[in-house]
Amino acid sequence: MIPTITKNYQNVVISTGNIINKELGQRQSNEELYDGLKVTLQKEPNAERVVVEIDKLHGCVQRDSEELSKRLTENGRNEISIGAKIFVNSNSTENIQQAVDALLDILKVKHVDNVVLAYHPNANAVTPVASATSEATTTKSPCSEGNAGTANVSNWSIRNGQQGVDELKELYKCLEQYAHNQKITQLGIADLDAEALEELHKTASVAPTIAQVNLATCCVVPPELQEFCTAHDIQLNTHGDPELILQEEQFAGLAPGYTIDWSLRYQVHVRCRGVLTAKGYIVGASKPTET
């Protein structure tokens, strides 16, 4: 087991490295993240021995960064597409900055092709999760509840209110600065209903070009959302990520005394073939400030 570096740091960053070919990838995102962290922190007694680097100066733990670097450089930068999704459940532009900076630093790239923001200030810890490999889900489908699927995807504004929309705008504005500085090419947003997406779009200096809808809560994309995306050249995609990607008690078992501030997933595809060559998670965590 890795010596606990967290004792000496207020903030830590943990990178799972490339989880492709480690029997960790291509599953539900919460399972991938949890098992990836277990292997990285060597909390999994049956896991094969892995190369883990500890940056004691900055409180950073990285698994097999050399292998990840090899995956990122075996093709030219213009031949690969790097996309990321940031998961945050609290309103903090500092967390957004830390996440993007860690992404660029750990991948050792000057820019990424797209970043999608998932913000759920009132996250549902028991959100059903769609299968990572197909549109089928192991939980009870909302389609079996009549038209509940359409209603579920349309309630972001209702659940989070105007305050949630205002907070989302501030977080998104932080990402826009990276886009203006050519460190992110495209911006996206997850799980918004048409009303919230329209309000965000009106005030954005860099309009979102990607909108994600959760497969587990939506069988039919609401017509108003579909129409808005079509009218504004926004690519509408589906996903299967839960609102709360990792339970607090799960992470506490891996890094006692710490809570997750943000997490992100990155994926690297070879453009001409669409092959997924690298995938991993990065987590930022902190200890509660003593008063």
Side-chain angles (χ1 to χ4, degrees), residues 106-136:
I106 289 173
L107 298 190
K108 293 180 172 58
V109 295
K110 294 181 178 179
H111 79 280
V112 293
D113 296 277
N114 64 77
V115 171
V116 173
L117 174 62
Y119 179 53
H120 291 285
N122 297 297
N124 182 357
V126 294
T127 301
V129 182
S131 168
T133 55
S134 72
E135 295 193 5

Side-chain angles (χ1 to χ4, degrees), residues 30-92:
N30 52 340
E31 295 176 343
E32 289 179 345
L33 175 56
Y34 181 68
D35 289 343
L37 289 174
K38 278 203 302 184
V39 172
T40 302
L41 297 174
Q42 296 187 10
K43 298 278 187 175
E44 176 54 71
N46 297 321
E48 62 176 294
R49 188 67 183 170
V50 296
V51 178
V52 175
E53 302 168 11
I54 301 177
D55 180 352
K56 293 185 177 180
L57 180 62
H58 302 101
C60 183
V61 179
Q62 297 186 58
R63 181 176 72 82
D64 213 350
S65 61
E66 186 176 334
E67 193 272 342
L68 175 60
S69 177
K70 185 185 300 183
R71 290 292 183 180
L72 285 163
T73 56
E74 60 188 2
N75 296 283
R77 179 62 185 89
N78 63 333
E79 298 176 320
I80 61 174
S81 173
I82 303 174
K85 183 173 183 178
I86 298 175
F87 304 89
V88 288
N89 300 107
S90 60
N91 178 27
S92 170

Side-chain angles (χ1 to χ4, degrees), residues 4-14 58-59 94-95 98 248 251-252 254-262 283-291:
T4 304
I5 67 163
T6 55
K7 292 179 180 178
N8 301 318
Y9 299 91
Q10 184 67 36
N11 301 284
V12 295
V13 173
I14 306 167
H58 302 101
E94 183 179 358
N95 287 344
Q98 289 176 358
E248 289 184 12
F251 187 69
L254 300 173
Y258 280 74
T259 57
I260 292 181
D261 295 322
W262 54 266
V283 170
S286 63
K287 290 191 295 188
T289 305
E290 296 183 0
T291 57

